Amino acid sequence: MWIDDWAAAAACQQSQPDQLFVRGAEQHKAKTVCAGCPVRTECLAEALDNEIEWGVWGGMTERERRALLKRRPNVTSWRQLLETAKGEHEQRYAVNG
């Protein structure tokens, strides 16, 4: 299920915002905040669709997001793509549980 008001449910709500806007090796530590986040996919879609250049979003650094955008330049809606993939994953998991 896709959550439109995802920011309220984000795991990073419990941390300081500055922890997600770091450089270098500190980014790997920041990504751990996203690891178990229930709205990680929604957050990532937001960052990709809006080409957000700074910080860790959805478990990806700005460098990782730029590389993904370059690899998939024809994606017009990351939300649509990721929402569909998330729904298919959840459906498969529910069936194969």
Side-chain angles (χ1 to χ4, degrees):
M1 173 173 61
W2 195 263
I3 300 172
D4 287 316
D5 186 20
W6 62 267
C12 60
Q13 289 291 84
Q14 307 302 321
S15 62
Q16 296 294 322
D18 291 345
Q19 290 177 321
L20 299 175
F21 294 90
V22 291
R23 295 207 170 278
E26 289 295 309
Q27 289 180 329
H28 297 292
K29 189 186 309 181
K31 287 167 57 170
T32 63
V33 173
C34 304
C37 183
V39 291
R40 180 178 177 175
T41 306
E42 289 86 341
C43 178
L44 179 58
E46 175 85 12
L48 292 169
D49 279 337
N50 293 296
E51 297 184 22
I52 297 174
E53 295 184 20
W54 304 104
V56 173
W57 290 73
M60 294 183 82
T61 66
E62 58 266 18
R63 176 180 275 171
E64 293 167 332
R65 292 192 308 275
R66 274 195 308 274
L68 182 56
L69 290 168
K70 281 184 180 181
R71 282 194 310 271
R72 303 284 303 268
N74 296 327
V75 174
T76 57
S77 172
W78 285 95
R79 176 190 168 151
Q80 184 178 7
L81 179 80
L82 294 174
E83 185 175 4
T84 300
K86 184 178 181 180
E88 289 172 359
H89 173 76
E90 289 171 349
Q91 190 174 32
R92 253 190 312 246
Y93 183 74
V95 170
N96 297 326

